[in-house]
Amino acid sequence: KIPIILYNIPGRTGVAIQNKTIMKLVETVPNIIGVKESLGDISEVVRLAQMSKGKIDIYCGDDIETVLYLAIGAKGVISVLSNIAPEETHNMCEEFFKGNVEAAREIQLKAAPLIDALFCEVNPIPIKKAMNFMGNWGGVYRRPLCEMEDANAKRLEDEMKNFGLL
């Protein structure tokens, strides 16, 4: 009975939820209200937006593509970046929705190196490390996860400094 957002992440599951399947689910399960798309293929998201005609809310699941998703009608982003840069992530979306696409684009481009660093190892390893760098306890790693490689941790720390978080 609670609202459901599908999570389409073939990088973790090994298979994508096809657009026709998403639409069939939306038409038969009334509490499916959205989909978090992490396809890595913006063309398929465009096709879903066209097919759905607003029957399902689309959310970006790849921080690096937030502004692109908003441009095709996404309602927002379900974000990793927002765990350490919530204001900037909010501002990127807000500027876009206010019609200031250039400001949203600038935030997206400024965040791109940090986003890349946040995904240089399997999630949630980098975001936990980032939280630790900020003085917040990111939690322990459960197997098979482990500490970040030193070079990647240094890269993440450097990008956090460049972005103004440290």
Side-chain angles (χ1 to χ4, degrees):
K1 294 181 182 180
I2 63 171
I4 294 172
I5 295 179
L6 303 173
Y7 189 4
N8 197 5
I9 183 165
R12 292 224 179 164
T13 62
V15 64
I17 307 172
Q18 300 299 310
N19 287 338
K20 286 166 52 173
T21 303
I22 291 170
M23 293 312 302
K24 180 75 170 177
L25 288 168
V26 167
E27 291 165 4
T28 57
V29 183
N31 55 322
I32 294 177
I33 61 163
V35 59
K36 176 183 175 182
E37 287 287 1
S38 298
L39 285 171
D41 183 353
I42 193 78
S43 63
E44 282 302 308
V45 180
V46 169
R47 289 182 186 96
L48 176 61
Q50 187 279 325
M51 285 175 69
S52 72
K53 296 178 175 54
K55 292 179 185 171
I56 187 168
D57 291 340
I58 298 171
Y59 294 90
C60 178
D62 291 319
D63 285 287
I64 198 74
E65 297 178 332
T66 301
V67 172
L68 294 172
Y69 274 65
L70 297 176
I72 61 168
K75 300 293 184 184
V77 58
I78 300 174
S79 168
V80 172
L81 176 66
S82 66
N83 287 283
I84 58 169
E87 183 175 356
E88 294 84 351
T89 305
H90 169 268
N91 290 347
M92 181 180 5
C93 295
E94 182 178 54
E95 290 297 339
F96 185 90
F97 291 131
K98 289 190 324 190
N100 193 349
V101 177
E102 180 60 27
R105 184 186 75 83
E106 287 175 14
I107 296 167
Q108 178 80 79
L109 294 177
K110 180 182 177 192
L114 175 57
I115 293 166
D116 286 342
L118 284 169
F119 289 91
C120 69
E121 291 192 22
V122 173
N123 191 24
I125 293 171
I127 196 64
K128 287 177 173 277
K129 178 62 91 176
M131 296 295 288
N132 290 337
F133 283 146
M134 296 175 79
N136 300 312
W137 187 61
V140 297
Y141 300 105
R142 293 179 294 177
R143 291 183 191 175
L145 302 179
C146 59
E147 282 289 332
M148 286 185 80
E149 293 181 18
D150 290 342
N152 287 336
K154 174 74 169 115
R155 173 184 172 199
L156 177 59
E157 183 178 30
D158 289 346
E159 293 303 341
M160 290 176 72
K161 287 177 182 174
N162 291 340
F163 196 71
L165 296 175
L166 298 178

